[in-house]
Amino acid sequence: MSSLTPSTDPLSTHLKAVPSRSRPVRLREPVTGKRAATRHRLMDACATLIVRDGFDGVSMTAVAGEAGITRQTVYRYFPHAHELVRATLMRGGRELLEGQLLVFQEHGDPRELLIEAVMAALRLIDHNALLRVAWSSRDYPQAMLRATFDEAFVGRAVEGLKPIADRLGWDQRETREAYEVIARTVMSFLTIPPDPKLDERQLRDGLQRRLLPALGA
């Protein structure tokens, strides 16, 4: 395949070409300092473009215009458009994971909390325009799906699951397996939504019958 410059190469082609494990996922980005603020400003602009215009609407020029800075500045932070999209989607993935892990810190029946973590993820995506567009788009790259099982994500999830794991008597291996089952469950509802759509009560009942036995809970 010929090599095109980031400003002319269609983004969807870039996305499909990204290797599934091109680099390790970094869960914690810096949240202070001018450089971090500019990166988040660029990702905010990228997210706006994805929601408004789809993945094909993202280019370095469009992001620069949306963020109100020069294109040369964008290139100082991201080498090409697909890397900016990748970072933007990974930021959304981190927020999704952290939202689930907050559920595991709550008090209550650990089995109910496992179900609530799935429900919380689905609700968050339903109310997050970027994630909703990303999951419904054919251009959503497999690299992002597979990154869910990157060691950085898995390690953070296992750490966050520890309060539940301790109460259910799970060891490290069982906790890791539980995270993978939960993640795959969420993915299945997002990639192939139930038809007809389930209401919250039906979804919760189904998770109680099917998810808990799969988790050994």
Side-chain angles (χ1 to χ4, degrees):
M1 184 174 65
S2 61
S3 175
L4 300 176
T5 63
S7 60
T8 59
D9 197 7
L11 181 59
S12 58
T13 301
H14 272 314
L15 291 173
K16 292 169 185 175
V18 180
S20 61
R21 293 185 180 275
S22 56
R23 65 184 63 188
V25 175
R26 291 178 173 84
L27 281 177
R28 296 181 178 85
E29 292 193 8
V31 294
T32 60
K34 183 177 178 180
R35 184 170 181 82
T38 302
R39 279 180 59 85
H40 282 289
R41 181 178 174 183
L42 293 173
M43 287 187 279
D44 288 342
C46 181
T48 297
L49 290 170
I50 292 172
V51 172
R52 189 180 68 208
D53 304 324
F55 286 104
D56 287 338
V58 179
S59 68
M60 301 300 256
T61 300
V63 169
E66 185 67 32
I69 59 179
T70 66
R71 192 173 72 164
Q72 288 72 22
T73 300
V74 181
Y75 278 111
R76 290 195 201 108
Y77 289 84
F78 297 97
H80 36 63
H82 89 257
E83 184 61 26
L84 175 52
V85 169
R86 183 182 189 278
T88 302
L89 294 178
M90 292 305 301
R91 185 179 66 167
R94 288 191 297 272
E95 293 171 357
L96 178 62
L97 176 60
E98 294 299 333
Q100 284 189 291
L101 298 187
L102 284 175
V103 175
F104 299 137
Q105 305 299 320
E106 297 178 4
H107 298 290
D109 186 334
R111 296 163 186 81
E112 288 297 320
L113 295 180
L114 289 168
I115 293 174
E116 186 56 37
V118 175
M119 303 289 291
L122 296 177
R123 283 193 213 101
L124 189 152
I125 290 172
D126 191 47
H127 291 86
N128 184 302
L130 172 64
L131 294 178
R132 193 168 62 247
V133 169
W135 279 100
S136 63
S137 172
R138 279 186 255 179
D139 288 328
Y140 191 84
Q142 288 293 316
M144 300 303 141
L145 292 171
R146 296 187 183 186
T148 305
F149 301 103
D150 184 277
E151 283 304 311
F153 265 90
V154 174
R156 178 73 185 101
V158 170
E159 175 190 341
L161 261 171
K162 195 172 186 306
I164 298 291
D166 289 345
R167 293 160 69 185
L168 293 174
W170 289 344
D171 60 22
Q172 187 85 353
R173 178 184 60 82
E174 291 169 322
T175 305
R176 184 187 179 101
E177 289 175 348
Y179 162 71
E180 293 199 4
V181 170
I182 292 170
R184 292 180 190 280
T185 299
V186 172
M187 285 181 182
S188 70
F189 279 106
L190 295 173
T191 55
I192 309 176
D195 186 19
K197 184 177 180 179
L198 302 178
D199 61 32
E200 188 163 311
R201 180 188 59 80
Q202 291 171 319
L203 180 56
R204 191 180 296 278
D205 288 346
L207 291 172
Q208 287 175 334
R209 291 195 309 271
R210 303 303 181 189
L211 177 63
L212 293 184
L215 292 172

